[in-house]
């Protein structure tokens, strides 16, 4: 894509996919691979292995370049679906994936998964939903009966508000907060509440 077309789509039309592709292609998210990001990945890996040992089926929403799947490692999942709006990120994730992984380009607010999952994970991605509670509730319908959501949110001035916004749909099972030189991040294990008709 020419520089002007890319600029127009990102800055004028504000097309999310083009903005994320541009940022991944420029390496602006390479920092997610660094040591000071390890803690939040490790907490999720720990929860997955402890709560559903064996071969859980995992759906990750906003998976980026597939870093969580790489840290979780193939023996610890039976199926891994990663979804992201950026086809640049998904191409890189796919290149490092294995035969149990499927990576898809989709917008979390409309994506319809196939099958049911033991975990649905939003690792630093729920911020980008246009309506977080609605999206999480809709996707929770694709959890298996004892399935769980894992959500991380970095502490920032709107984080309490975001946790509060999704609270009505889910019961808290557990939570862990980690502090690194980069910041503070909370990971919550959530169980969907039955919606009253
Ligand atoms: C901060 S990055 C986190 C990536 C990855 N989860 C990690 O922790 O390394 C947020 C990700 O959400 C993705 N994203 C943003 N809006 C999205 C949407 N509407 N649907 C799906 N993914 C989206 C971005 O492309 C990006 O990969």
């Amino acid at each position: 894509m020419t520089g002007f077309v890319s600029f127009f789509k990102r800055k004028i039309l504000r097309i999310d996919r083009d903005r994320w592709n541009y940022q991944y292609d420029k390496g602006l998210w390479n920092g997610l691979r660094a040591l000071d990001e390890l803690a939040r990945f490790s907490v999720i890996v720990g929860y997955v292995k402890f709560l559903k040992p064996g071969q859980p089926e995992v759906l990750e929403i906003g998976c980026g370049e597939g870093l969580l799947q790489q840290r979780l490692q193939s023996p610890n999942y039976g199926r891994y679906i990663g979804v992201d709006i950026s086809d640049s990120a998904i191409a890189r994730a796919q290149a490092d994936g294995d035969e149990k992984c499927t990576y898809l380009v989709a917008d979390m607010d409309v994506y319809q998964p196939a099958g049911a999952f033991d975990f649905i994970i939003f690792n630093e991605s729920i911020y980008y939903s246009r309506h977080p509670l609605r999206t999480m509730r809709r996707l929770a319908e694709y959890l298996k009966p004892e399935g769980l959501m894992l959500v991380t949110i970095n502490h920032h001035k709107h984080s309490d508000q975001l946790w509060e916004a999704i609270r009505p749909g889910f019961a808290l099972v557990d939570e862990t907060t980690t502090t690194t030189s980069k910041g503070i991040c909370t990971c919550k294990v959530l169980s969907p509440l039955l919606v009253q008709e």
Side-chain angles (χ1 to χ4, degrees):
M1 203 182 306
T2 67
F4 176 72
V5 174
S6 166
F7 177 84
F8 189 74
K9 288 170 108 176
R10 285 184 286 115
K11 298 283 193 188
I12 311 296
L13 299 181
R14 296 185 171 279
I15 297 177
D16 280 349
R17 179 164 301 169
D18 288 271
R19 187 162 47 87
W20 283 103
N21 281 342
Y22 174 83
Q23 293 178 2
Y24 275 111
D25 291 342
K26 286 272 177 200
L28 301 183
W29 291 100
N30 286 351
L32 297 178
R33 300 170 179 275
L35 185 60
D36 54 15
E37 294 281 346
L38 182 64
R40 67 186 169 88
F41 289 106
S42 302
V43 169
I44 296 176
V45 169
Y47 275 135
V48 170
K49 289 168 76 172
F50 183 87
L51 293 168
K52 306 221 181 256
Q55 299 276 297
E57 297 191 75
V58 177
L59 170 63
E60 188 187 358
I61 304 292
C63 63
E65 296 176 304
L67 303 182
L68 178 62
Q69 172 254 314
Q70 292 159 30
R71 282 155 183 64
L72 183 57
Q73 300 184 328
S74 195
N76 298 307
Y77 53 82
R79 179 166 79 113
Y80 203 104
I81 310 290
V83 174
D84 201 282
I85 202 164
S86 163
D87 35 286
S88 292
I90 285 295
R92 290 187 192 108
Q94 198 104 54
D96 290 324
D98 61 40
E99 70 287 350
K100 292 194 272 178
C101 301
T102 307
Y103 281 105
L104 305 167
V105 178
D107 180 338
M108 66 174 94
D109 287 327
V110 293
Y111 167 64
Q112 307 254 15
F117 298 87
D118 296 289
F119 291 103
I120 299 180
I121 300 174
F122 292 83
N123 186 15
E124 293 309 293
S125 60
I126 192 61
Y127 320 101
Y128 307 109
S129 170
R130 286 177 289 283
H131 32 68
L133 178 60
R134 200 198 312 169
T135 288
M136 285 183 60
R137 269 196 174 134
R138 186 180 61 78
L139 288 171
E141 290 174 15
Y142 297 89
L143 283 170
K144 293 181 188 177
E146 301 295 316
L148 295 165
M149 293 266 183
L150 300 179
V151 181
T152 74
I153 295 178
N154 269 323
H155 286 212
H156 60 90
K157 65 179 178 183
H158 300 301
S159 50
D160 286 346
Q161 227 176 305
L162 186 51
W163 283 123
E164 196 53 33
I166 61 177
R167 199 174 57 85
F170 299 90
L172 180 66
V173 175
D174 196 48
E175 68 178 280
T176 300
T177 296
T178 50
T179 305
T180 70
S181 53
K182 197 167 186 180
I184 301 171
C185 183
T186 295
C187 178
K188 294 193 183 185
V189 182
L190 302 171
S191 173
L193 294 168
L194 291 178
V195 179
Q196 303 293 327
E197 294 301 327

